[in-house]
Amino acid sequence: MPVISVPQDFNSEELYVDLRSIFEHSLFLKCEGFNFAGSIKLKAAAEMVAAAERDGILRPQSVLVESSSGNLGVALSMIAASKGYQFLCVTDSRCNLSTRRLMEAFGSQVHIITEPDANGGFLGARIAHVRALCASDNRYVWLNQYANPGNWRAHYHRTAPAIAAAFPLLDVLFVGAGTTGTLMGCARYFRERHRPVRIVAVDSVGSVTFGGTPGPRMIPGLGTSVRPPLLDESYVDDVMHVDEVDTIRACHRLARKGFLFGGSTGTVVSGAMDWLAQHNAHELTAVAIAPDLGERYLDTVYQTNWTQDLYGEDILDDTDRLTVGSRSI
């Protein structure tokens, strides 16, 4: 069985799962899905809102607006509801239905972009819609997670120190690249403290974040169609690109062992295992960040019709396919 490390107070900052018994290499997953918002995005959302309040940008009549593939939208929905702000999330058609319903349950509005921009991506179209909203009414306040330093500072002050405390002899850290807030916060922390930690960014095939060729991406969370302004590649030692087929296979392999994680985690785990295999790194202490859990992906990553329609009937091989009786699921 995988080794789960949980402190007595069940602090989500300190929940790790060792995947040695599932994959060929030891890899500790830092599980970030055990908070009220269900993802690591709660940290960035809280930091950005607090900074906007300190700077006087947010007022009682303000309407928060943000572009999000889902998890940040849920986190901002929860915070806005607790503080009495209105919130409008601009997402696109790839956003999971359960995620949209969560935001609406908190009283938020959700605008869904259905047409990509001229470059074939949804992010540019989402941001254009946000800019149009802000131009139409000065009550709208855009936190802009893609350029807001509060995004990376949240992980500089919280995520990275927690990892450093739990793994004082850490050798390599794997971080998924979306807005790159988590990546930049953790990378800056370890670089500035002169710890010999190798930072490996994990991105999706089809993402342009690290100069890749743009292509279709159906799993929300990681990857972008617009290079994130927060990214500083000088802090990154290696980059791994993962095909969505491998993301889905990693998710199902984890689920077969009792761990239901989101698509971003499947991507990070797949990229981490490839890197560890390439570097013959059996003796390294390795940690990867798991941004969320898998319940919001039951209609996509864990739904047979969805995966087979997009990736073909052979998406899951015999060892990864789940079976109930004689019926494959």
Side-chain angles (χ1 to χ4, degrees):
M1 284 292 293
V3 177
I4 305 175
S5 173
V6 187
Q8 291 183 350
D9 61 359
F10 198 67
N11 183 348
S12 65
E13 291 273 0
E14 299 298 332
L15 177 58
Y16 299 87
V17 175
D18 186 1
L19 302 183
R20 182 187 293 273
S21 67
I22 302 176
F23 298 93
E24 294 180 2
H25 297 271
S26 176
L27 177 69
F28 290 91
L29 273 186
K30 187 178 192 304
C31 304
E32 292 281 352
F34 295 99
N35 59 53
F36 284 113
S39 82
I40 195 171
K41 290 291 188 178
L42 181 59
K43 297 176 184 178
E47 180 72 23
M48 292 189 294
V49 169
E53 290 177 330
R54 289 194 302 268
D55 295 341
I57 297 171
L58 274 177
R59 300 178 177 87
Q61 71 275 16
S62 295
V63 180
L64 279 167
V65 60
E66 186 57 81
S67 160
S68 171
S69 61
N71 281 337
L72 183 72
V74 172
L76 285 173
S77 293
M78 188 187 76
I79 292 173
S82 68
K83 289 177 171 287
Y85 298 118
Q86 297 181 63
F87 173 59
L88 190 159
C89 181
V90 179
T91 188
D92 60 64
S93 53
R94 299 169 302 172
C95 181
N96 299 319
L97 177 60
S98 60
T99 300
R100 299 204 301 265
R101 287 176 172 171
L102 270 173
M103 289 187 276
E104 291 168 347
F106 283 119
S108 300
Q109 296 183 63
V110 180
H111 287 189
I112 302 171
I113 303 300
T114 58
E115 296 295 329
D117 61 17
N119 296 321
F122 285 99
L123 180 55
R126 288 184 353 216
I127 291 176
H129 187 71
V130 170
R131 293 188 189 277
L133 287 171
C134 292
S136 70
D137 191 330
N138 59 15
R139 292 179 303 164
Y140 285 113
V141 173
W142 180 26
L143 296 176
N144 191 1
Q145 64 164 326
Y146 310 102
N148 192 320
N151 189 345
W152 67 260
R153 285 174 183 157
H155 306 289
Y156 181 94
H157 292 298
R158 293 189 60 188
T159 307
I163 294 171
F167 297 91
L169 299 179
L170 178 66
D171 294 304
V172 57
L173 176 65
F174 298 94
V175 189
T179 64
T180 68
T182 307
L183 175 65
M184 288 293 96
C186 291
R188 278 187 167 91
Y189 178 89
F190 285 111
R191 177 73 61 83
E192 293 178 9
R193 277 150 182 77
H194 307 291
R195 293 171 56 89
V197 176
R198 195 165 189 86
I199 303 297
V200 180
V202 183
D203 199 8
S204 301
V205 170
S207 168
V208 305
T209 299
F210 295 94
T213 302
R217 292 174 293 106
M218 299 307 298
I219 301 174
L222 299 186
T224 64
S225 57
V226 178
R227 180 183 169 89
L230 292 177
L231 177 62
D232 182 343
E233 290 187 61
S234 68
Y235 287 94
V236 179
D237 296 299
D238 294 305
V239 179
M240 301 296 294
H241 285 89
V242 175
D243 191 282
E244 288 189 336
V245 168
D246 295 318
T247 292
I248 290 169
R249 287 173 176 163
C251 285
H252 280 260
R253 191 168 179 179
L254 286 164
R256 287 195 66 184
K257 297 298 183 179
F259 296 99
L260 196 72
F261 285 106
S264 296
T265 299
T267 301
V268 173
V269 168
S270 180
M273 289 303 166
D274 283 348
W275 189 95
L276 292 168
Q278 291 173 18
H279 291 77
N280 193 25
H282 290 281
E283 303 304 320
L284 294 183
T285 299
V287 171
I289 297 175
D292 62 4
L293 301 179
E295 290 92 338
R296 297 173 190 176
Y297 301 82
L298 292 177
D299 293 328
T300 54
V301 170
Y302 295 101
Q303 215 285 326
T304 302
N305 291 339
W306 188 88
T307 57
Q308 291 184 348
D309 286 347
L310 288 173
Y311 308 104
E313 293 187 359
D314 297 328
I315 176 65
L316 299 177
D317 61 28
D318 290 340
T319 59
D320 291 326
R321 192 182 301 276
L322 302 178
T323 58
V324 175
S326 60
R327 181 171 66 89
S328 296
I329 62 171

